[in-house]
Amino acid sequence: MKKAIIIGATSGLGREVATRLVEKGWKVGITGRRTEALETFRNEYGADKVCISTVDVTRDDSVAALDALLEQTGEPDLFFYASGVGYQNHELDLDKELRTVQTNCVGMVRMVDHFINYVRSHNYYFPKHKAHVAVISSVAGVVVLGTAPAYSATKRMQSHYLSTLTQLSRMEHIPVCFTDIRPGFIATDILDSDKHYPMLMTKEKAADHIMKALSRKKRVYTFDWRYRVGCFFWSFIPRCIWERITWIKN
Ligand SMILES: NC(=O)c1ccc[n+]([C@@H]2O[C@H](COP(=O)([O-])OP(=O)(O)OC[C@H]3O[C@@H](n4cnc5c(N)ncnc54)[C@H](OP(=O)(O)O)[C@@H]3O)[C@@H](O)[C@H]2O)c1
């Protein structure tokens, strides 16, 4: 039975992916701050297939909670970081900016680094098994989004961090491979329901893309094709031009 740990599976993309994995016969260890949502998921699929642990990635004790979940679930084949917050923040509300940094950057580093050290210390992963670490960053990390400063910058950091970890694990012969998942706009709770978002995708369709990226162990996966084309051309736009673009709404 394959196993996965999903950080941030109480709603949205993390929950969708957890559902797909369980329905494919995987055992999943799921987390989030909302204990009730975790319990509902476990009740739906059974405690033999779903382990839960309430985790707030912004807190120091999240590492101990992750250890408890690893113990319950067993050595995972996949470690999937889907926790994230993001805000449009024209006012530079400091609380929102810092919460975004804490969840998307500090939380990710805390969880992912702890898992990589777990892999290093578990013979299970040598020599034939490679653990798979996947993180949902965003297309927002490829472009500059002045409307969501911390969000855009933390998404860039996540992608860059996965590159550094990829190089480090080759240097140190750590049996881990990485996937950086970069979606465009998906209709989940993270978006404001009263705003219009271009090329908005349903979370079910987004989960199809994520499952494809995971099964193929893609290093970077941007979806859908329109965003892939967009990112290719956007990468040629010089910074001095991007910083002058003032008509972006989201
Ligand atoms: N939706 C989009 O348009 C879009 C586009 C690109 C990238 N993404 C990225 O996709 C990821 C998932 O977001 P989503 O769209 O599925 O939104 P979502 O439905 O709001 O899900 C966010 C998840 O993160 C968890 N979370 C938030 N703060 C946490 C904390 N401090 N500790 C632990 N877990 C925490 C939430 O669980 P609790 O509230 O229970 O803690 C929830 O499970 C995020 O990284 C987001 O940036 C989304």
Side-chain angles (χ1 to χ4, degrees):
M1 187 188 245
K2 286 200 159 194
K3 294 170 217 142
I5 295 285
I6 304 176
I7 311 293
T10 48
S11 64
L13 301 176
R15 195 181 193 289
E16 282 299 316
V17 169
T19 306
R20 306 245 171 155
L21 291 176
V22 175
E23 288 176 352
K24 276 167 78 89
W26 288 50
K27 181 176 183 184
V28 295
I30 58 167
T31 73
R33 290 165 302 178
R34 286 169 285 173
T35 309
E36 217 181 295
L38 297 171
E39 286 170 351
T40 306
F41 193 89
R42 184 176 58 186
N43 293 343
E44 202 171 321
Y45 292 102
D48 53 329
K49 294 190 189 125
V50 180
C51 304
I52 64 171
S53 179
T54 305
V55 172
D56 181 342
V57 297
T58 66
R59 291 170 52 116
D60 288 341
D61 62 8
S62 58
V63 167
L66 173 58
D67 275 335
L69 188 64
L70 285 163
E71 184 71 34
Q72 280 184 71
T73 313
E75 286 102 338
D77 302 276
L78 169 68
F79 186 89
F80 184 48
Y81 191 84
S83 285
V85 294
Y87 309 93
Q88 285 192 27
N89 195 3
H90 295 246
E91 308 76 25
L92 289 181
D93 175 329
L94 198 55
D95 182 51
K96 287 180 177 170
E97 293 296 270
L98 295 180
R99 206 174 323 144
T100 306
V101 173
Q102 282 294 327
T103 311
N104 300 358
C105 293
V106 179
M108 180 199 70
V109 170
R110 192 180 266 134
M111 295 289 103
V112 169
D113 285 13
H114 188 67
F115 178 66
I116 291 172
N117 285 329
Y118 170 91
V119 169
R120 282 207 234 224
S121 60
H122 277 68
N123 289 337
Y124 170 78
Y125 294 100
F126 293 96
K128 55 183 186 337
H129 268 89
K130 258 195 177 185
H132 185 190
V133 172
V135 173
I136 311 183
S137 66
S138 174
V139 164
V142 178
V143 297
V144 169
L145 284 184
T147 53
Y151 186 71
S152 186
T154 56
K155 292 296 164 180
R156 173 69 69 110
M157 183 273 182
Q158 291 185 323
S159 293
H160 202 79
Y161 198 69
L162 288 185
S163 284
T164 63
L165 291 183
T166 303
Q167 193 184 56
L168 179 76
S169 23
R170 288 201 175 119
M171 275 175 205
E172 297 287 320
H173 306 291
I174 309 167
V176 185
C177 63
F178 296 89
T179 298
D180 177 0
I181 296 165
R182 300 179 183 172
F185 290 117
I186 319 292
T188 67
D189 297 348
I190 208 169
L191 298 184
D192 293 331
S193 52
D194 56 343
K195 293 213 167 87
H196 170 73
Y197 296 92
M199 298 189 269
L200 185 68
M201 188 182 279
T202 63
K203 58 185 175 187
E204 291 78 13
K205 185 98 179 82
D208 288 343
H209 280 284
I210 295 173
M211 292 300 290
K212 198 200 282 182
L214 295 177
S215 69
R216 294 181 187 174
K217 296 204 166 123
K218 290 271 193 187
R219 176 58 197 90
V220 175
Y221 186 80
T222 304
F223 62 92
D224 58 8
W225 67 269
R226 294 166 296 182
Y227 280 103
R228 277 198 287 279
V229 172
C231 286
F232 176 76
F233 287 110
W234 293 332
S235 66
F236 294 108
I237 300 178
R239 182 174 48 82
C240 58
I241 305 280
W242 266 115
E243 290 173 357
R244 283 177 169 76
I245 295 176
T246 53
W247 43 263
I248 295 178
K249 294 278 179 279
N250 291 302

